[in-house]
Amino acid sequence: MSMDDVFKALADESRRTLLDRLHARNGQTLGDLCEGLAMSRQAVTKHLAILEAANLVATRRQGREKLHFLNPVPINDIAERWIGKFERDRLAALSDLKRQLESDDHE
Amino acid sequence: MSMDDVFKALADESRRTLLDRLHARNGQTLGDLCEGLAMSRQAVTKHLAILEAANLVATRRQGREKLHFLNPVPINDIAERWIGKFERDRLAALSDLKRQLESDDHE
DNA sequence: CCAATATGCAACTATATGGTTGCCTGTCAA
DNA sequence: TTGACAGGCAACCATATAGTTGCATATTGG
């Protein structure tokens, strides 16, 4: 669960997709997370193990199923490392504004 | 400057150290950034090129020197991807509190 | 019990990546 | 001009890593 594990875990597109899926719906099983992906179940298992070791994903066993949950804390730590407190607020405001403008475009 | 480039760039400890150095003092030259590091100048050059391609570092030529500047925007985008607006505020508050407690410890 | 379901483990392969060495180019100052 | 300084480019090597296949284990429902 070192910092290096977090960055290595995030370096792969497949793993980021898995985090996206958990962000959209938390608490999915391995089978759920495999659905529609162009790789074997074993590949997904390995990716989830890496995400879990990095503390980006927490798990809970329920019978023969294993539920997966996204943990946003290490992600926040990344931002804290290189973005100062005030700069953070400024960038957050900019992001909000950008989202606002984009959603207006689509109306 | 795709999202993948950013994560790949951050996946290496040496590159994160370079970002730390720029965060501590912005606008350093290649020579500055090499100092005290246990690798060749050419290795640092390659790392900086990767950081620049990922838009994490911006550069400006000045005579025979090249100055390097940290760009925090892609870092912020990472946090935005998996942390909701309200969750972001909550995590930021927690981080501030944690920092506060830690600084108290050291007094 | 037993077959189907859900997940775990291990060996193997191809490619990506970090680091090196050697040499080239450009800029400054005496 | 010319030597020294700052940086750039290319080929090469060792290791890390994403993906695969094949087999094993564990839980549930009939």
Side-chain angles (χ1 to χ4, degrees), chain B residues 27-32 60-68:
Chain B
Q28 297 189 63
T29 69
L30 172 60
D32 292 338
R60 202 179 72 219
R61 296 234 45 150
Q62 195 163 37
R64 61 179 165 183
E65 293 183 337
K66 190 176 184 182
L67 306 182
H68 299 78

Side-chain angles (χ1 to χ4, degrees), chain B residues 8 12 14-15 39-40 42-43 46-47 50 63-64:
Chain B
K8 287 277 167 60
D12 185 79
S14 301
R15 287 193 285 271
M39 62 180 153
S40 65
Q42 289 79 355
K46 286 215 277 185
H47 284 310
I50 289 169
R64 61 179 165 183

